[in-house]
mmCIF file of all heavy atoms in Angstrom:
data_model
loop_
_atom_site.group_PDB
_atom_site.id
_atom_site.type_symbol
_atom_site.label_atom_id
_atom_site.label_comp_id
_atom_site.label_asym_id
_atom_site.label_seq_id
_atom_site.Cartn_x
_atom_site.Cartn_y
_atom_site.Cartn_z
ATOM 1 N N GLU A 111 -33.574 6.522 13.143
ATOM 2 C CA GLU A 111 -33.479 5.772 14.401
ATOM 3 C C GLU A 111 -32.392 6.318 15.316
ATOM 4 O O GLU A 111 -32.546 6.312 16.544
ATOM 5 C CB GLU A 111 -33.199 4.299 14.115
ATOM 6 C CG GLU A 111 -34.306 3.585 13.359
ATOM 7 C CD GLU A 111 -33.967 2.126 13.113
ATOM 8 O OE1 GLU A 111 -33.048 1.616 13.779
ATOM 9 O OE2 GLU A 111 -34.609 1.504 12.252
ATOM 10 N N VAL A 112 -31.261 6.758 14.745
ATOM 11 C CA VAL A 112 -30.142 7.250 15.540
ATOM 12 C C VAL A 112 -29.522 8.450 14.845
ATOM 13 O O VAL A 112 -29.847 8.776 13.705
ATOM 14 C CB VAL A 112 -29.045 6.161 15.720
ATOM 15 C CG1 VAL A 112 -29.595 4.970 16.487
ATOM 16 C CG2 VAL A 112 -28.506 5.720 14.363
ATOM 17 N N THR A 113 -28.611 9.115 15.546
ATOM 18 C CA THR A 113 -27.826 10.189 14.950
ATOM 19 C C THR A 113 -26.391 9.691 14.774
ATOM 20 O O THR A 113 -25.968 8.730 15.423
ATOM 21 C CB THR A 113 -27.829 11.453 15.826
ATOM 22 O OG1 THR A 113 -27.284 11.116 17.111
ATOM 23 C CG2 THR A 113 -29.237 12.001 15.973
ATOM 24 N N MET A 114 -25.637 10.359 13.912
ATOM 25 C CA MET A 114 -24.275 9.916 13.610
ATOM 26 C C MET A 114 -23.388 11.144 13.421
ATOM 27 O O MET A 114 -23.717 12.034 12.628
ATOM 28 C CB MET A 114 -24.294 9.073 12.332
ATOM 29 C CG MET A 114 -23.019 8.350 12.007
ATOM 30 S SD MET A 114 -23.259 7.321 10.507
ATOM 31 C CE MET A 114 -21.755 6.354 10.533
ATOM 32 N N SER A 115 -22.264 11.195 14.134
ATOM 33 C CA SER A 115 -21.356 12.330 13.998
ATOM 34 C C SER A 115 -20.595 12.249 12.676
ATOM 35 O O SER A 115 -20.482 11.169 12.078
ATOM 36 C CB SER A 115 -20.358 12.360 15.158
ATOM 37 O OG SER A 115 -19.449 11.277 15.049
ATOM 38 N N ASP A 116 -20.080 13.383 12.235
ATOM 39 C CA ASP A 116 -19.281 13.396 11.006
ATOM 40 C C ASP A 116 -18.068 12.488 11.147
ATOM 41 O O ASP A 116 -17.670 11.807 10.196
ATOM 42 C CB ASP A 116 -18.814 14.821 10.684
ATOM 43 C CG ASP A 116 -19.955 15.703 10.188
ATOM 44 O OD1 ASP A 116 -20.967 15.139 9.725
ATOM 45 O OD2 ASP A 116 -19.829 16.929 10.270
ATOM 46 N N LYS A 117 -17.469 12.460 12.337
ATOM 47 C CA LYS A 117 -16.293 11.621 12.563
ATOM 48 C C LYS A 117 -16.626 10.150 12.346
ATOM 49 O O LYS A 117 -15.871 9.411 11.712
ATOM 50 C CB LYS A 117 -15.766 11.829 13.973
ATOM 51 C CG LYS A 117 -14.537 10.982 14.296
ATOM 52 C CD LYS A 117 -14.080 11.205 15.726
ATOM 53 C CE LYS A 117 -12.912 10.282 16.062
ATOM 54 N NZ LYS A 117 -12.467 10.438 17.454
ATOM 55 N N GLU A 118 -17.791 9.731 12.851
ATOM 56 C CA GLU A 118 -18.190 8.329 12.712
ATOM 57 C C GLU A 118 -18.378 7.930 11.258
ATOM 58 O O GLU A 118 -18.138 6.786 10.880
ATOM 59 C CB GLU A 118 -19.492 8.078 13.478
ATOM 60 C CG GLU A 118 -19.347 8.108 14.982
ATOM 61 C CD GLU A 118 -20.681 7.921 15.670
ATOM 62 O OE1 GLU A 118 -21.588 8.755 15.462
ATOM 63 O OE2 GLU A 118 -20.820 6.935 16.411
ATOM 64 N N LYS A 119 -18.800 8.866 10.416
ATOM 65 C CA LYS A 119 -19.080 8.564 9.016
ATOM 66 C C LYS A 119 -17.834 8.127 8.252
ATOM 67 O O LYS A 119 -17.934 7.459 7.217
ATOM 68 C CB LYS A 119 -19.693 9.790 8.318
ATOM 69 C CG LYS A 119 -21.074 10.173 8.841
ATOM 70 C CD LYS A 119 -21.564 11.451 8.177
ATOM 71 C CE LYS A 119 -22.910 11.875 8.746
ATOM 72 N NZ LYS A 119 -23.383 13.151 8.158
ATOM 73 N N PHE A 120 -16.666 8.503 8.744
ATOM 74 C CA PHE A 120 -15.438 8.246 7.992
ATOM 75 C C PHE A 120 -14.492 7.253 8.660
ATOM 76 O O PHE A 120 -13.368 7.068 8.192
ATOM 77 C CB PHE A 120 -14.701 9.577 7.743
ATOM 78 C CG PHE A 120 -15.474 10.527 6.883
ATOM 79 C CD1 PHE A 120 -16.266 11.508 7.447
ATOM 80 C CD2 PHE A 120 -15.433 10.427 5.505
ATOM 81 C CE1 PHE A 120 -16.996 12.382 6.655
ATOM 82 C CE2 PHE A 120 -16.165 11.284 4.701
ATOM 83 C CZ PHE A 120 -16.948 12.263 5.279
ATOM 84 N N GLU A 121 -14.943 6.589 9.736
ATOM 85 C CA GLU A 121 -14.058 5.697 10.470
ATOM 86 C C GLU A 121 -13.457 4.599 9.589
ATOM 87 O O GLU A 121 -12.254 4.345 9.601
ATOM 88 C CB GLU A 121 -14.804 5.060 11.649
ATOM 89 C CG GLU A 121 -15.089 6.012 12.798
ATOM 90 C CD GLU A 121 -13.842 6.651 13.364
ATOM 91 O OE1 GLU A 121 -12.865 5.927 13.602
ATOM 92 O OE2 GLU A 121 -13.841 7.880 13.554
ATOM 93 N N GLY A 122 -14.304 3.905 8.821
ATOM 94 C CA GLY A 122 -13.812 2.802 7.993
ATOM 95 C C GLY A 122 -12.841 3.253 6.933
ATOM 96 O O GLY A 122 -11.835 2.590 6.645
ATOM 97 N N PHE A 123 -13.110 4.418 6.334
ATOM 98 C CA PHE A 123 -12.248 4.926 5.270
ATOM 99 C C PHE A 123 -10.888 5.342 5.820
ATOM 100 O O PHE A 123 -9.849 5.120 5.185
ATOM 101 C CB PHE A 123 -12.917 6.109 4.563
ATOM 102 C CG PHE A 123 -14.225 5.761 3.931
ATOM 103 C CD1 PHE A 123 -15.417 6.147 4.511
ATOM 104 C CD2 PHE A 123 -14.277 5.013 2.759
ATOM 105 C CE1 PHE A 123 -16.638 5.805 3.940
ATOM 106 C CE2 PHE A 123 -15.485 4.668 2.175
ATOM 107 C CZ PHE A 123 -16.666 5.062 2.769
ATOM 108 N N LYS A 124 -10.883 5.936 7.003
ATOM 109 C CA LYS A 124 -9.611 6.348 7.602
ATOM 110 C C LYS A 124 -8.779 5.128 7.977
ATOM 111 O O LYS A 124 -7.556 5.136 7.809
ATOM 112 C CB LYS A 124 -9.872 7.236 8.822
ATOM 113 C CG LYS A 124 -10.435 8.601 8.465
ATOM 114 C CD LYS A 124 -10.569 9.520 9.658
ATOM 115 C CE LYS A 124 -11.687 9.106 10.568
ATOM 116 N NZ LYS A 124 -11.937 10.095 11.646
ATOM 117 N N LYS A 125 -9.444 4.090 8.469
ATOM 118 C CA LYS A 125 -8.726 2.849 8.795
ATOM 119 C C LYS A 125 -8.089 2.266 7.549
ATOM 120 O O LYS A 125 -6.941 1.788 7.577
ATOM 121 C CB LYS A 125 -9.704 1.842 9.412
ATOM 122 C CG LYS A 125 -9.055 0.512 9.819
ATOM 123 C CD LYS A 125 -8.090 0.708 10.968
ATOM 124 C CE LYS A 125 -7.715 -0.601 11.639
ATOM 125 N NZ LYS A 125 -7.079 -1.564 10.733
ATOM 126 N N ARG A 126 -8.788 2.310 6.429
ATOM 127 C CA ARG A 126 -8.232 1.795 5.183
ATOM 128 C C ARG A 126 -7.011 2.612 4.761
ATOM 129 O O ARG A 126 -6.006 2.055 4.312
ATOM 130 C CB ARG A 126 -9.285 1.834 4.068
ATOM 131 C CG ARG A 126 -8.767 1.277 2.736
ATOM 132 C CD ARG A 126 -9.857 1.278 1.699
ATOM 133 N NE ARG A 126 -10.308 2.622 1.403
ATOM 134 C CZ ARG A 126 -11.339 2.904 0.593
ATOM 135 N NH1 ARG A 126 -12.033 1.932 0.048
ATOM 136 N NH2 ARG A 126 -11.678 4.153 0.359
ATOM 137 N N MET A 127 -7.070 3.934 4.911
ATOM 138 C CA MET A 127 -5.941 4.793 4.558
ATOM 139 C C MET A 127 -4.703 4.427 5.374
ATOM 140 O O MET A 127 -3.603 4.296 4.827
ATOM 141 C CB MET A 127 -6.309 6.270 4.812
ATOM 142 C CG MET A 127 -5.248 7.260 4.382
ATOM 143 S SD MET A 127 -5.600 8.959 4.940
ATOM 144 C CE MET A 127 -7.240 9.206 4.274
ATOM 145 N N VAL A 128 -4.893 4.234 6.676
ATOM 146 C CA VAL A 128 -3.783 3.875 7.552
ATOM 147 C C VAL A 128 -3.215 2.513 7.162
ATOM 148 O O VAL A 128 -1.994 2.333 7.052
ATOM 149 C CB VAL A 128 -4.239 3.864 9.028
ATOM 150 C CG1 VAL A 128 -3.173 3.214 9.914
ATOM 151 C CG2 VAL A 128 -4.524 5.283 9.512
ATOM 152 N N ASP A 129 -4.101 1.547 6.934
ATOM 153 C CA ASP A 129 -3.653 0.192 6.594
ATOM 154 C C ASP A 129 -2.890 0.157 5.280
ATOM 155 O O ASP A 129 -1.872 -0.536 5.145
ATOM 156 C CB ASP A 129 -4.849 -0.758 6.523
ATOM 157 C CG ASP A 129 -5.432 -1.061 7.897
ATOM 158 O OD1 ASP A 129 -4.753 -0.762 8.896
ATOM 159 O OD2 ASP A 129 -6.557 -1.586 7.960
ATOM 160 N N GLU A 130 -3.371 0.896 4.280
ATOM 161 C CA GLU A 130 -2.704 0.907 2.978
ATOM 162 C C GLU A 130 -1.327 1.548 3.069
ATOM 163 O O GLU A 130 -0.367 1.068 2.456
ATOM 164 C CB GLU A 130 -3.564 1.649 1.958
ATOM 165 C CG GLU A 130 -4.808 0.856 1.536
ATOM 166 C CD GLU A 130 -5.662 1.596 0.525
ATOM 167 O OE1 GLU A 130 -5.395 2.802 0.296
ATOM 168 O OE2 GLU A 130 -6.600 0.987 -0.022
ATOM 169 N N ASN A 131 -1.208 2.630 3.831
ATOM 170 C CA ASN A 131 0.099 3.273 4.000
ATOM 171 C C ASN A 131 1.069 2.367 4.740
ATOM 172 O O ASN A 131 2.256 2.319 4.422
ATOM 173 C CB ASN A 131 -0.058 4.603 4.748
ATOM 174 C CG ASN A 131 -0.604 5.701 3.878
ATOM 175 O OD1 ASN A 131 -0.470 5.662 2.651
ATOM 176 N ND2 ASN A 131 -1.251 6.685 4.473
ATOM 177 N N GLU A 132 0.559 1.646 5.745
ATOM 178 C CA GLU A 132 1.405 0.715 6.486
ATOM 179 C C GLU A 132 1.904 -0.388 5.556
ATOM 180 O O GLU A 132 3.069 -0.778 5.599
ATOM 181 C CB GLU A 132 0.630 0.104 7.649
ATOM 182 C CG GLU A 132 0.518 1.004 8.869
ATOM 183 C CD GLU A 132 1.796 1.067 9.679
ATOM 184 O OE1 GLU A 132 2.767 0.369 9.339
ATOM 185 O OE2 GLU A 132 1.834 1.825 10.665
ATOM 186 N N LYS A 133 1.018 -0.902 4.729
ATOM 187 C CA LYS A 133 1.385 -1.988 3.823
ATOM 188 C C LYS A 133 2.444 -1.540 2.824
ATOM 189 O O LYS A 133 3.407 -2.256 2.539
ATOM 190 C CB LYS A 133 0.136 -2.481 3.081
ATOM 191 C CG LYS A 133 0.414 -3.616 2.103
ATOM 192 C CD LYS A 133 -0.865 -4.040 1.398
ATOM 193 C CE LYS A 133 -0.582 -5.101 0.336
ATOM 194 N NZ LYS A 133 -1.819 -5.494 -0.395
ATOM 195 N N LYS A 134 2.286 -0.333 2.279
ATOM 196 C CA LYS A 134 3.196 0.142 1.236
ATOM 197 C C LYS A 134 4.527 0.639 1.795
ATOM 198 O O LYS A 134 5.593 0.339 1.261
ATOM 199 C CB LYS A 134 2.535 1.278 0.448
ATOM 200 C CG LYS A 134 1.381 0.849 -0.439
ATOM 201 C CD LYS A 134 0.821 2.050 -1.174
ATOM 202 C CE LYS A 134 -0.346 1.680 -2.069
ATOM 203 N NZ LYS A 134 -0.926 2.873 -2.734
ATOM 204 N N TYR A 135 4.449 1.442 2.868
ATOM 205 C CA TYR A 135 5.654 2.152 3.306
ATOM 206 C C TYR A 135 6.026 1.945 4.768
ATOM 207 O O TYR A 135 7.017 2.497 5.240
ATOM 208 C CB TYR A 135 5.459 3.664 3.082
ATOM 209 C CG TYR A 135 4.907 4.035 1.738
ATOM 210 C CD1 TYR A 135 3.664 4.656 1.614
ATOM 211 C CD2 TYR A 135 5.623 3.771 0.574
ATOM 212 C CE1 TYR A 135 3.149 5.008 0.370
ATOM 213 C CE2 TYR A 135 5.125 4.115 -0.675
ATOM 214 C CZ TYR A 135 3.883 4.731 -0.767
ATOM 215 O OH TYR A 135 3.386 5.079 -2.005
ATOM 216 N N GLY A 136 5.214 1.153 5.494
ATOM 217 C CA GLY A 136 5.392 1.061 6.941
ATOM 218 C C GLY A 136 6.780 0.682 7.397
ATOM 219 O O GLY A 136 7.338 1.317 8.293
ATOM 220 N N ASP A 137 7.361 -0.349 6.792
ATOM 221 C CA ASP A 137 8.675 -0.822 7.251
ATOM 222 C C ASP A 137 9.739 0.257 7.138
ATOM 223 O O ASP A 137 10.503 0.501 8.083
ATOM 224 C CB ASP A 137 9.103 -2.054 6.444
ATOM 225 C CG ASP A 137 8.262 -3.278 6.764
ATOM 226 O OD1 ASP A 137 7.571 -3.264 7.805
ATOM 227 O OD2 ASP A 137 8.288 -4.229 5.981
ATOM 228 N N GLU A 138 9.798 0.920 5.969
ATOM 229 C CA GLU A 138 10.834 1.933 5.744
ATOM 230 C C GLU A 138 10.636 3.145 6.658
ATOM 231 O O GLU A 138 11.591 3.669 7.240
ATOM 232 C CB GLU A 138 10.822 2.385 4.283
ATOM 233 C CG GLU A 138 11.298 1.334 3.293
ATOM 234 C CD GLU A 138 10.236 0.299 2.964
ATOM 235 O OE1 GLU A 138 9.088 0.435 3.439
ATOM 236 O OE2 GLU A 138 10.563 -0.654 2.259
ATOM 237 N N VAL A 139 9.389 3.609 6.766
ATOM 238 C CA VAL A 139 9.123 4.803 7.566
ATOM 239 C C VAL A 139 9.361 4.527 9.045
ATOM 240 O O VAL A 139 9.919 5.360 9.761
ATOM 241 C CB VAL A 139 7.675 5.292 7.322
ATOM 242 C CG1 VAL A 139 7.353 6.463 8.243
ATOM 243 C CG2 VAL A 139 7.501 5.717 5.868
ATOM 244 N N ARG A 140 8.963 3.345 9.514
ATOM 245 C CA ARG A 140 9.182 3.005 10.922
ATOM 246 C C ARG A 140 10.674 2.878 11.233
ATOM 247 O O ARG A 140 11.131 3.283 12.310
ATOM 248 C CB ARG A 140 8.449 1.719 11.290
ATOM 249 C CG ARG A 140 6.944 1.901 11.417
ATOM 250 C CD ARG A 140 6.217 0.618 11.786
ATOM 251 N NE ARG A 140 4.785 0.855 11.907
ATOM 252 C CZ ARG A 140 4.204 1.352 12.982
ATOM 253 N NH1 ARG A 140 4.936 1.641 14.056
ATOM 254 N NH2 ARG A 140 2.907 1.559 13.025
ATOM 255 N N GLU A 141 11.423 2.319 10.275
ATOM 256 C CA GLU A 141 12.866 2.186 10.482
ATOM 257 C C GLU A 141 13.525 3.556 10.557
ATOM 258 O O GLU A 141 14.449 3.774 11.344
ATOM 259 C CB GLU A 141 13.476 1.375 9.345
ATOM 260 C CG GLU A 141 14.973 1.152 9.502
ATOM 261 C CD GLU A 141 15.564 0.304 8.393
ATOM 262 O OE1 GLU A 141 14.787 -0.266 7.591
ATOM 263 O OE2 GLU A 141 16.796 0.209 8.327
ATOM 264 N N LYS A 142 13.049 4.493 9.737
ATOM 265 C CA LYS A 142 13.680 5.813 9.671
ATOM 266 C C LYS A 142 13.251 6.724 10.821
ATOM 267 O O LYS A 142 14.068 7.446 11.389
ATOM 268 C CB LYS A 142 13.335 6.484 8.335
ATOM 269 C CG LYS A 142 14.105 7.780 8.089
ATOM 270 C CD LYS A 142 13.865 8.297 6.693
ATOM 271 C CE LYS A 142 14.691 9.548 6.413
ATOM 272 N NZ LYS A 142 16.128 9.299 6.430
ATOM 273 N N TYR A 143 11.946 6.669 11.187
ATOM 274 C CA TYR A 143 11.431 7.629 12.159
ATOM 275 C C TYR A 143 11.003 7.015 13.495
ATOM 276 O O TYR A 143 10.724 7.741 14.444
ATOM 277 C CB TYR A 143 10.241 8.399 11.554
ATOM 278 C CG TYR A 143 10.642 9.219 10.349
ATOM 279 C CD1 TYR A 143 10.296 8.819 9.070
ATOM 280 C CD2 TYR A 143 11.387 10.382 10.486
ATOM 281 C CE1 TYR A 143 10.677 9.553 7.955
ATOM 282 C CE2 TYR A 143 11.770 11.128 9.390
ATOM 283 C CZ TYR A 143 11.417 10.705 8.122
ATOM 284 O OH TYR A 143 11.800 11.433 7.031
ATOM 285 N N GLY A 144 10.932 5.678 13.557
ATOM 286 C CA GLY A 144 10.571 5.025 14.816
ATOM 287 C C GLY A 144 9.085 4.737 14.929
ATOM 288 O O GLY A 144 8.254 5.442 14.353
ATOM 289 N N ASP A 145 8.778 3.700 15.699
ATOM 290 C CA ASP A 145 7.383 3.279 15.849
ATOM 291 C C ASP A 145 6.515 4.360 16.488
ATOM 292 O O ASP A 145 5.356 4.550 16.102
ATOM 293 C CB ASP A 145 7.308 2.011 16.707
ATOM 294 C CG ASP A 145 7.842 0.788 15.969
ATOM 295 O OD1 ASP A 145 7.869 0.811 14.733
ATOM 296 O OD2 ASP A 145 8.233 -0.182 16.644
ATOM 297 N N LYS A 146 7.061 5.058 17.474
ATOM 298 C CA LYS A 146 6.264 6.035 18.218
ATOM 299 C C LYS A 146 5.738 7.132 17.303
ATOM 300 O O LYS A 146 4.541 7.458 17.334
ATOM 301 C CB LYS A 146 7.096 6.656 19.349
ATOM 302 C CG LYS A 146 6.309 7.657 20.189
ATOM 303 C CD LYS A 146 7.167 8.247 21.301
ATOM 304 C CE LYS A 146 6.371 9.275 22.106
ATOM 305 N NZ LYS A 146 7.186 9.890 23.189
ATOM 306 N N LYS A 147 6.593 7.671 16.457
ATOM 307 C CA LYS A 147 6.172 8.761 15.577
ATOM 308 C C LYS A 147 5.154 8.276 14.548
ATOM 309 O O LYS A 147 4.196 8.983 14.225
ATOM 310 C CB LYS A 147 7.389 9.383 14.881
ATOM 311 C CG LYS A 147 8.302 10.164 15.814
ATOM 312 C CD LYS A 147 9.376 10.890 15.051
ATOM 313 C CE LYS A 147 10.298 11.647 15.999
ATOM 314 N NZ LYS A 147 9.572 12.686 16.755
#
Side-chain angles (χ1 to χ4, degrees):
E111 296 180 16
V112 297
T113 59
M114 190 177 191
S115 69
D116 288 339
K117 180 182 176 182
E118 289 177 299
K119 294 176 183 177
F120 296 95
E121 288 303 313
F123 300 104
K124 290 185 288 187
K125 181 67 165 59
R126 181 177 63 185
M127 184 189 305
V128 168
D129 288 346
E130 288 180 350
N131 284 336
E132 281 284 357
K133 180 181 176 182
K134 290 181 180 177
Y135 313 116
D137 290 344
E138 291 80 4
V139 175
R140 286 180 179 278
E141 182 178 351
K142 188 173 183 64
Y143 297 106
D145 289 338
K146 182 180 178 181
K147 290 187 181 298

